[in-house]
Amino acid sequence: MASTIVKPQWSFGGVDCRRYVGPQPPPSAKSSSLRAASRGQPSRRLLVVRASENRNDSVKKLGMTDAECEAAVVAGNVPEAPPVPPAPAAPAGTPVVPLLPLSRRPRRNRRSPALRSAFQETSLSPANFVYPLFIHEGEEDTPIGAMPGCYRLGWRHGLVEEVAKARDVGVNSIVLFPKVPDALKSPTGDEAYNDNGLVPRTIRLLKDKYPDLVIYTDVALDPYSSDGHDGIVREDGVIMNDETVHQLCKQAVSQARAGADVVSPSDMMDGRVGAIRAALDAEGFHHVSIMSYTAKYASSFYGPFREALDSNPRFGDKKTYQMNPTNYREALIETREDESEGADILLVKPGLPYLDIIRLLRDNSPLPIAAYQVSGEYSMIKAGGVLKMIDEEKVMMESLMCLRRAGADIILTYFALQAARCLCGEKR
């Protein structure tokens, strides 16, 4: 069977590898060197001497056999090759100093793009991304003011088109976040487990069109709660734990029934992972994974997200169930609980400000680690790019690479499509 060979389109540091042939002299370099030599001045060599001025020229073969070539060399008739290039000249005024007595110089392994690539410890690919997508009941895509480039997508049209774009560049995992009509919200969030609700309908639509698409879902009550909290709120303002877990189990089962691959409890209620695992197994969904928001901090970086879903708490904050940003060791307690209860993936949220927590989980758990590069992180990079304070694309890629280096196997990021296009060599 015939096979197709695809030419790679990799690049290093923005250099197109299909066209890169090494540093080229400026047009005046050769004439400048000749003029300097004619005046008796030393010529500063800018480039390595090449075998041919025209890189496309090839050395003519003489029609000699291997034995004849070897005999010619033995006889002293050594073929001509480019000379050893002279040492590059230092700029005028450079002090002459003795070499430092170093047996190891780490810069040796960083001196060229090829070496840096060969010794690169962390890689980044579109397969590492999970693309968070906001959906709503409308047909039109609505821009999210605080998140430039992000939209509430119409679930039947805009969403399908966005998923197709992501798949074209290798992003085949998404996570859905619904903007629920206010009329369907209630204190107990019952709409969360409506089998014909927005999220189950969307899952069925996407699975019908893209059967191999990996769909993550959010398990929490805040999009469905008239109070805007992740759980049921008692009249004195206390978030009720066990009663909320009961609702979350029904929500997870509803999502699994629709075809979700991974359910993701983001609520931070105690014991919810084990309860959800038991509920899924009891309904025959042994194959559905749980990505637990293991270390979800009560962060100020979530603001733009809450605008996107119109899910700000009606009162108070979420500090009684989300973690204190000052705490480090507490993440290990959550990790051990989630592992013992049957979590398949452990997630840290936010991402970049919590690299130490990502590394902590990576070093203490054999499970896959996810990091959520949240809306505030995304919007800051976008704003800095618009104001020309930073190079948006370079900072985006560096931030994602840092999350991977810290230990994240997958990254939930609103940059998924843009970053994947960069990795594939496409222009924005």
Side-chain angles (χ1 to χ4, degrees):
M1 180 181 295
S3 61
T4 302
I5 299 176
V6 180
K7 293 183 178 179
Q9 300 184 17
W10 307 311
S11 65
F12 299 97
V15 178
D16 188 338
C17 294
R18 294 169 298 174
R19 302 186 178 90
Y20 184 65
V21 294
Q24 302 297 305
S28 60
K30 183 176 179 182
S31 58
S32 298
S33 297
L34 291 174
R35 286 196 301 271
S38 65
R39 293 195 299 267
Q41 299 175 1
S43 173
R44 181 178 176 181
R45 304 300 294 267
L46 299 176
L47 302 165
V48 173
V49 176
R50 299 187 303 195
S52 171
E53 193 65 31
N54 186 343
R55 294 292 293 230
N56 295 322
D57 285 353
S58 57
V59 178
K60 294 182 180 179
K61 294 184 178 180
L62 301 177
M64 299 170 63
T65 65
D66 290 352
E68 290 171 335
C69 289
E70 292 177 357
V73 171
V74 171
N77 298 320
V78 179
E80 183 181 354
V84 175
T94 300
V96 178
V97 299
L99 288 177
L100 296 173
L102 303 178
S103 61
R104 187 175 305 282
R105 290 179 180 260
R107 288 184 58 188
R108 285 194 285 260
N109 290 341
R110 302 194 289 263
R111 70 181 185 274
S112 74
L115 285 173
R116 291 193 295 272
S117 178
F119 305 134
Q120 181 171 310
E121 299 175 23
T122 306
S123 63
L124 184 67
S125 83
N128 299 127
F129 301 147
V130 179
Y131 194 8
L133 296 171
F134 302 108
I135 55 176
H136 68 152
E137 294 284 7
E139 294 188 348
E140 300 299 324
D141 300 338
T142 306
I144 300 168
M147 299 179 67
C150 292
Y151 298 81
R152 293 174 183 164
L153 300 167
W155 71 280
R156 286 174 294 182
H157 306 289
L159 172 66
V160 175
E161 294 171 4
E162 193 72 5
V163 169
K165 293 175 187 176
R167 285 166 59 88
D168 284 345
V169 288
V171 178
N172 198 45
S173 298
I174 66 165
V175 57
L176 298 171
F177 294 102
K179 196 283 181 186
V180 178
D182 288 343
L184 295 178
K185 296 181 181 182
S186 67
T188 53
D190 295 349
E191 180 64 16
Y193 51 85
N194 177 2
D195 284 344
N196 204 35
L198 177 56
V199 169
R201 271 185 278 128
T202 301
I203 296 171
R204 296 198 301 267
L205 174 69
L206 291 175
K207 281 295 185 179
D208 181 67
K209 190 166 183 64
Y210 308 115
D212 63 333
L213 179 69
V214 179
I215 300 178
Y216 292 69
T217 55
D218 181 48
V219 179
L221 296 187
D222 52 326
Y224 309 91
S225 168
S226 52
D227 294 312
H229 277 280
D230 293 50
I232 299 172
V233 184
R234 206 167 61 189
E235 65 178 358
D236 61 354
V238 171
I239 309 301
M240 305 177 72
N241 191 92
D242 296 13
E243 295 81 359
T244 296
V245 171
H246 178 78
Q247 298 290 78
L248 298 177
C249 289
K250 292 193 284 186
Q251 182 184 17
V253 168
S254 176
Q255 294 171 349
R257 188 179 295 121
D261 298 286
V262 184
V263 296
S264 311
S266 63
D267 56 288
M268 291 299 288
M269 298 297 121
D270 295 336
R272 89 275 203 212
V273 172
I276 289 172
R277 182 73 273 162
L280 290 171
D281 291 352
E283 293 292 329
F285 299 116
H286 307 85
H287 60 284
V288 175
S289 301
I290 296 176
M291 179 175 71
S292 174
Y293 283 55
T294 297
K296 181 179 181 181
Y297 285 83
S299 171
S300 299
F301 282 88
Y302 303 150
F305 176 94
R306 291 173 182 168
E307 176 187 319
L309 295 187
D310 190 21
S311 62
N312 274 303
R314 188 169 58 85
F315 61 88
D317 52 42
K318 301 189 176 186
K319 293 180 180 179
T320 65
Y321 47 100
Q322 294 179 0
M323 289 176 57
N324 187 336
T326 66
N327 289 1
Y328 177 81
R329 298 189 306 273
E330 186 182 4
L332 285 178
I333 298 174
E334 296 285 354
T335 297
R336 288 163 184 159
E337 289 299 314
D338 287 354
E339 284 182 331
S340 67
E341 292 177 23
D344 300 286
I345 307 164
L346 308 178
L347 181 140
V348 176
K349 180 181 181 182
L352 206 61
Y354 293 81
L355 294 179
D356 58 331
I357 307 301
I358 296 172
R359 173 49 57 184
L360 178 68
L361 268 62
R362 172 74 292 146
D363 289 343
N364 287 277
S365 176
L367 293 177
I369 305 300
Y372 199 144
Q373 186 182 49
V374 300
S375 57
E377 300 173 65
Y378 170 87
S379 295
M380 287 194 302
I381 293 174
K382 281 289 185 181
V386 169
L387 295 173
K388 306 299 182 185
M389 293 179 172
I390 58 173
D391 184 313
E392 178 188 318
E393 188 172 289
K394 289 181 178 179
V395 172
M396 169 188 71
M397 298 305 291
E398 183 178 342
S399 68
L400 294 169
M401 188 65 78
C402 289
L403 292 168
R404 286 277 293 144
R405 188 194 66 229
D409 298 290
I410 59 173
I411 304 169
L412 284 68
T413 175
Y414 304 100
F415 283 122
L417 177 58
Q418 183 180 345
R421 285 175 170 169
C422 290
L423 290 169
C424 292
E426 293 186 12
K427 297 296 183 182
R428 285 186 292 166

